[in-house]
Amino acid sequence: MMKGKFIVFEGIDGSGKTTQLKLLGDQLQQQGLPVLYTREPGGTRIGDAIRGILLNPAHSELVPRAEALLYAAARAQHVAQVVKPALASGTIVLCDRFLDSSLAYQGFGRGMDIGLLESINEPATDGLVPDLTIILSFFTGDGIDRIKRSGRPIDRIEREAGTFHMRVGAGYLTLAQRDPGRYSIINANRSEEWVHNDIMAALEGVLGEISQRNNRA
Ligand code: TYD
């Protein structure tokens, strides 16, 4: 029995996910709710080591299937070691990327079969499905431009062409159409505050239950 809530943020690179995840987490913590921030690939020692392989710009020979399996391996470790235990203890897990990143980047971006990616990821997610996935929808070129302007080094995936990121962005919307009830698509081409307010509104249903439980405790 999962007592917590699993909330995932998705979107192209530079869409502001990490900022929004932090804003949401701060607000929930102010309400006295137990929150855990985590991310993929990473979130564990093993996952961070795999992340190093995946994002190293020197690894240009990495083939899509190996890339997909490495993301899945990091996910398997993360789900088992971090996410499931936190949910079992009643925590709200705010996760920067999950399975849909593999479907969007390796599937729509690299052109791998979505069914194959879902199979590869079955042992990784181990049946875990997010309570809600927030997709931050963002004009593609702007995301990478924003990262470049920030002055931090550009990683192996961010080096991909603009058309790759465009396919990823469109891919997310296609994924959401398959199962609209599990997603909330939010226009991220607006001020941080507006985006945050929309995220809070999208989460009302999911978090209502846990807030009530917390108030009774
Ligand atoms: P990260 O620096 O975390 O990017 P961001 O801050 O934009 O989330 O790097 C993660 C990169 O890995 C990002 O470019 C998306 C990519 N990725 C995949 O291609 N497949 C996956 O399954 C995951 C989780 C991430």
Side-chain angles (χ1 to χ4, degrees):
M1 224 318 247
M2 296 294 181
K3 292 190 293 174
K5 292 288 171 193
F6 185 33
I7 295 158
V8 173
F9 280 67
E10 294 280 3
I12 58 163
D13 299 76
S15 56
K17 278 182 293 86
T18 314
T19 308
Q20 288 298 333
L21 194 132
K22 192 82 192 57
L23 281 174
L24 171 64
D26 286 349
Q27 181 149 358
L28 298 181
Q29 276 171 333
Q30 276 165 22
Q31 293 173 20
L33 295 168
V35 171
L36 175 78
Y37 301 99
T38 188
R39 68 167 179 184
E40 290 198 356
T44 65
R45 195 158 61 105
I46 305 289
D48 281 335
I50 298 173
R51 180 185 174 88
I53 300 174
L54 279 164
L55 298 185
N56 185 342
H59 293 168
S60 55
E61 75 277 32
L62 190 65
V63 297
R65 273 177 297 164
E67 180 178 281
L69 287 163
L70 284 167
Y71 278 113
R75 182 162 301 127
Q77 185 69 31
H78 184 228
V79 166
Q81 189 187 333
V82 175
V83 183
K84 283 199 168 179
L87 291 173
S89 74
T91 301
I92 300 172
V93 178
L94 302 182
C95 189
D96 200 336
R97 303 190 177 282
F98 190 58
L99 171 63
D100 285 318
S101 279
S102 285
L103 304 183
Y105 281 77
Q106 282 65 57
F108 290 92
R110 300 267 188 241
M112 282 183 72
D113 181 69
I114 298 290
L116 174 63
L117 288 164
E118 285 173 332
S119 310
I120 287 174
N121 277 281
E122 260 173 41
T125 59
D126 196 21
L128 182 64
V129 178
D131 291 289
L132 186 70
T133 298
I134 309 258
I135 296 177
L136 293 187
S137 175
F138 199 69
F139 290 132
T140 318
D142 295 356
I144 299 299
D145 288 349
R146 199 191 259 184
I147 294 165
K148 285 186 181 150
R149 276 199 304 274
S150 77
R152 76 157 166 83
I154 307 286
D155 68 37
R156 195 179 58 86
I157 302 274
E158 287 159 358
R159 274 166 197 251
E160 289 293 336
T163 48
F164 174 89
H165 293 279
M166 249 164 357
R167 285 198 301 277
V168 173
Y172 274 123
L173 304 182
T174 306
L175 291 170
Q177 276 164 8
R178 291 195 315 180
D179 195 355
R182 286 209 301 106
Y183 296 87
S184 181
I185 300 171
I186 290 179
N187 172 6
N189 294 89
R190 296 172 304 157
S191 74
E192 274 177 15
E193 200 185 337
W194 278 102
V195 176
H196 172 67
N197 288 343
D198 277 7
I199 291 174
M200 288 306 292
L203 280 167
E204 238 166 56
V206 178
L207 293 178
E209 213 180 289
I210 205 161
S211 310
Q212 277 168 15
R213 200 168 63 213
N214 212 53
N215 289 340
R216 278 200 304 269

Coordinates of all heavy atoms in Angstrom, one line a residue, residues 11-14 17-18 39-41 51 55 67 71 75 96-99 101-102 105-106 147 152 155 157-158 165, ligand 1:
G11 N 9.3 17.5 -19.2 CA 9.4 18.6 -20.1 C 10.8 18.6 -20.8 O 11.7 17.9 -20.3
I12 N 10.9 19.4 -21.8 CA 12.2 19.5 -22.5 C 13.2 20.2 -21.6 O 12.9 20.8 -20.6 CB 12.1 20.2 -23.9 CG1 11.6 21.6 -23.7 CG2 11.3 19.4 -24.8 CD1 11.9 22.5 -24.9
D13 N 14.5 20.0 -22.0 CA 15.6 20.7 -21.2 C 15.4 22.2 -21.2 O 15.1 22.7 -22.3 CB 16.9 20.3 -21.9 CG 17.2 18.9 -21.9 OD1 16.6 18.1 -22.7 OD2 18.0 18.4 -21.1
G14 N 15.5 22.8 -20.1 CA 15.4 24.2 -20.0 C 13.9 24.7 -19.8 O 13.7 25.9 -19.9
K17 N 11.5 23.0 -15.1 CA 11.0 21.9 -14.3 C 11.6 22.0 -12.8 O 10.9 22.0 -11.9 CB 11.4 20.6 -14.8 CG 10.6 20.0 -15.8 CD 11.1 18.6 -16.2 CE 12.5 18.6 -16.8 NZ 13.7 18.6 -16.1
T18 N 12.9 22.2 -12.8 CA 13.6 22.1 -11.5 C 13.2 23.3 -10.6 O 12.9 23.1 -9.4 CB 15.1 22.0 -11.7 OG1 15.3 21.1 -12.8 CG2 15.8 21.6 -10.5
R39 N 15.4 13.0 -8.5 CA 15.5 13.2 -10.0 C 16.0 12.0 -10.7 O 16.7 11.1 -10.1 CB 16.4 14.4 -10.3 CG 17.9 14.1 -10.0 CD 18.8 15.1 -10.6 NE 20.2 14.8 -10.3 CZ 21.2 15.5 -10.6 NH1 21.0 16.7 -11.3 NH2 22.4 15.2 -10.3
E40 N 15.7 11.9 -12.0 CA 16.3 10.9 -12.9 C 16.9 11.5 -14.1 O 16.4 12.5 -14.6 CB 15.2 9.9 -13.3 CG 14.6 9.1 -12.2 CD 13.8 7.9 -12.8 OE1 13.7 7.7 -14.0 OE2 13.4 7.1 -11.9
P41 N 18.0 10.9 -14.6 CA 18.8 9.8 -14.0 C 19.5 10.4 -12.8 O 20.0 11.5 -12.8 CB 19.7 9.4 -15.1 CG 19.9 10.7 -15.9 CD 18.7 11.4 -15.8
R51 N 24.3 8.3 -14.5 CA 24.1 9.6 -15.0 C 25.4 10.2 -15.6 O 25.4 10.8 -16.7 CB 23.6 10.6 -13.9 CG 23.3 12.0 -14.3 CD 22.9 12.8 -13.1 NE 22.8 14.2 -13.5 CZ 21.7 14.7 -14.0 NH1 20.6 14.0 -14.0 NH2 21.6 16.0 -14.4
L55 N 25.5 11.4 -19.5 CA 25.5 12.9 -19.9 C 26.9 13.3 -20.4 O 27.0 14.5 -20.8 CB 25.0 13.7 -18.8 CG 23.5 13.4 -18.4 CD1 23.0 14.4 -17.3 CD2 22.6 13.5 -19.6
E67 N 21.7 3.4 -24.4 CA 21.3 4.6 -23.7 C 20.0 4.3 -23.0 O 19.8 4.6 -21.8 CB 21.0 5.7 -24.8 CG 20.6 7.1 -24.2 CD 20.4 8.1 -25.2 OE1 21.4 8.7 -25.7 OE2 19.3 8.4 -25.7
Y71 N 19.3 4.3 -18.8 CA 18.3 5.1 -18.1 C 17.4 4.2 -17.3 O 17.0 4.5 -16.2 CB 17.4 6.0 -19.1 CG 18.1 7.3 -19.6 CD1 18.5 7.4 -20.9 CD2 18.3 8.3 -18.7 CE1 19.1 8.6 -21.3 CE2 18.9 9.5 -19.1 CZ 19.3 9.7 -20.4 OH 19.9 10.8 -20.7
R75 N 16.8 4.0 -13.2 CA 15.4 4.0 -12.8 C 15.1 2.9 -11.8 O 14.5 3.1 -10.8 CB 14.5 4.0 -14.0 CG 13.0 4.1 -13.6 CD 12.2 4.5 -14.9 NE 12.7 5.8 -15.4 CZ 13.1 6.1 -16.6 NH1 13.0 5.1 -17.6 NH2 13.5 7.3 -17.0
D96 N 11.9 14.8 -10.6 CA 12.3 15.5 -11.8 C 12.6 14.4 -12.9 O 13.6 13.8 -12.8 CB 13.6 16.3 -11.5 CG 13.8 17.4 -12.5 OD1 13.4 17.3 -13.6 OD2 14.5 18.4 -12.1
R97 N 11.6 14.1 -13.7 CA 11.7 13.1 -14.8 C 11.4 11.7 -14.3 O 11.8 11.3 -13.2 CB 13.0 13.1 -15.6 CG 13.3 14.4 -16.2 CD 14.5 14.3 -17.1 NE 14.9 15.5 -17.8 CZ 14.2 16.0 -18.9 NH1 13.2 15.4 -19.3 NH2 14.5 17.2 -19.4
F98 N 10.8 10.9 -15.2 CA 10.5 9.5 -14.9 C 10.4 8.8 -16.2 O 10.9 9.2 -17.2 CB 9.3 9.3 -13.9 CG 9.1 8.0 -13.4 CD1 10.0 7.3 -12.6 CD2 7.9 7.3 -13.6 CE1 9.8 6.1 -12.1 CE2 7.6 6.0 -13.1 CZ 8.6 5.4 -12.3
L99 N 9.6 7.7 -16.3 CA 9.5 6.9 -17.5 C 9.2 7.7 -18.7 O 9.7 7.4 -19.8 CB 8.4 5.8 -17.2 CG 7.9 5.0 -18.4 CD1 9.1 4.1 -19.0 CD2 6.7 4.1 -18.1
S101 N 10.2 10.4 -19.7 CA 11.4 11.0 -20.3 C 12.0 10.0 -21.3 O 12.4 10.3 -22.4 CB 12.4 11.3 -19.3 OG 12.2 12.6 -18.7
S102 N 12.0 8.7 -20.9 CA 12.5 7.7 -21.8 C 11.7 7.6 -23.1 O 12.2 7.4 -24.2 CB 12.6 6.3 -21.1 OG 13.7 6.3 -20.2
Y105 N 12.3 11.0 -25.0 CA 13.7 11.2 -25.6 C 14.1 10.1 -26.4 O 14.6 10.2 -27.6 CB 14.7 11.5 -24.5 CG 14.6 12.9 -23.9 CD1 13.6 13.3 -23.0 CD2 15.6 13.9 -24.3 CE1 13.5 14.6 -22.5 CE2 15.5 15.2 -23.8 CZ 14.5 15.5 -22.9 OH 14.4 16.8 -22.4
Q106 N 14.1 8.8 -25.8 CA 14.6 7.7 -26.6 C 13.5 7.3 -27.6 O 13.9 6.8 -28.7 CB 14.9 6.5 -25.7 CG 16.3 6.7 -24.9 CD 16.3 7.8 -23.9 OE1 15.4 7.9 -23.0 NE2 17.2 8.7 -24.1
I147 N 19.6 27.6 -21.4 CA 20.7 26.8 -20.7 C 22.0 27.5 -21.2 O 22.9 27.7 -20.4 CB 20.6 25.3 -21.1 CG1 19.4 24.7 -20.5 CG2 21.9 24.6 -20.6 CD1 19.1 23.3 -21.0
R152 N 26.3 27.4 -17.9 CA 26.7 26.1 -17.5 C 27.0 25.2 -18.7 O 26.5 25.4 -19.8 CB 25.7 25.5 -16.5 CG 24.5 24.9 -17.1 CD 23.9 23.8 -16.2 NE 22.5 23.4 -16.6 CZ 22.2 22.5 -17.5 NH1 23.2 22.0 -18.2 NH2 21.0 22.2 -17.7
D155 N 25.3 19.4 -21.8 CA 25.6 17.9 -21.7 C 25.3 17.2 -23.0 O 24.9 17.8 -24.0 CB 24.9 17.3 -20.5 CG 23.4 17.2 -20.6 OD1 22.9 17.0 -21.8 OD2 22.7 17.4 -19.6
I157 N 23.0 15.1 -24.1 CA 21.7 15.2 -24.7 C 21.3 16.6 -25.1 O 20.7 16.8 -26.2 CB 20.6 14.7 -23.6 CG1 20.9 13.3 -23.2 CG2 19.2 14.8 -24.2 CD1 20.4 12.2 -24.0
E158 N 21.8 17.6 -24.3 CA 21.5 19.0 -24.7 C 22.2 19.4 -26.0 O 21.7 20.3 -26.7 CB 21.9 19.9 -23.6 CG 21.0 19.8 -22.4 CD 21.6 20.3 -21.1 OE1 22.8 20.7 -21.1 OE2 20.9 20.3 -20.1
H165 N 14.9 18.1 -30.0 CA 14.2 18.6 -28.9 C 12.7 18.9 -29.3 O 11.8 18.8 -28.4 CB 14.9 19.8 -28.2 CG 16.2 19.4 -27.6 ND1 16.3 18.9 -26.4 CD2 17.5 19.4 -28.1 CE1 17.5 18.5 -26.1 NE2 18.3 18.9 -27.1
Ligands
TYD1 P1 19.3 16.8 -16.6 O1 20.5 17.6 -16.4 O2 18.6 16.2 -15.4 O3 18.3 17.6 -17.5 P2 17.1 18.5 -17.0 O4 17.6 19.4 -16.0 O5 16.6 19.2 -18.3 O6 16.1 17.5 -16.5 O7 19.7 15.7 -17.6 C1 18.9 14.7 -17.9 C2 18.9 14.4 -19.4 O8 18.6 13.1 -19.7 C3 17.9 15.3 -20.1 O9 18.4 15.8 -21.3 C4 16.8 14.3 -20.5 C5 17.5 13.0 -20.6 N1 16.8 11.8 -20.3 C6 16.5 10.9 -21.2 O10 16.9 11.0 -22.4 N2 15.8 9.7 -20.9 C7 15.4 9.5 -19.6 O11 14.8 8.4 -19.4 C8 15.7 10.5 -18.6 C9 15.2 10.2 -17.2 C10 16.4 11.6 -19.0

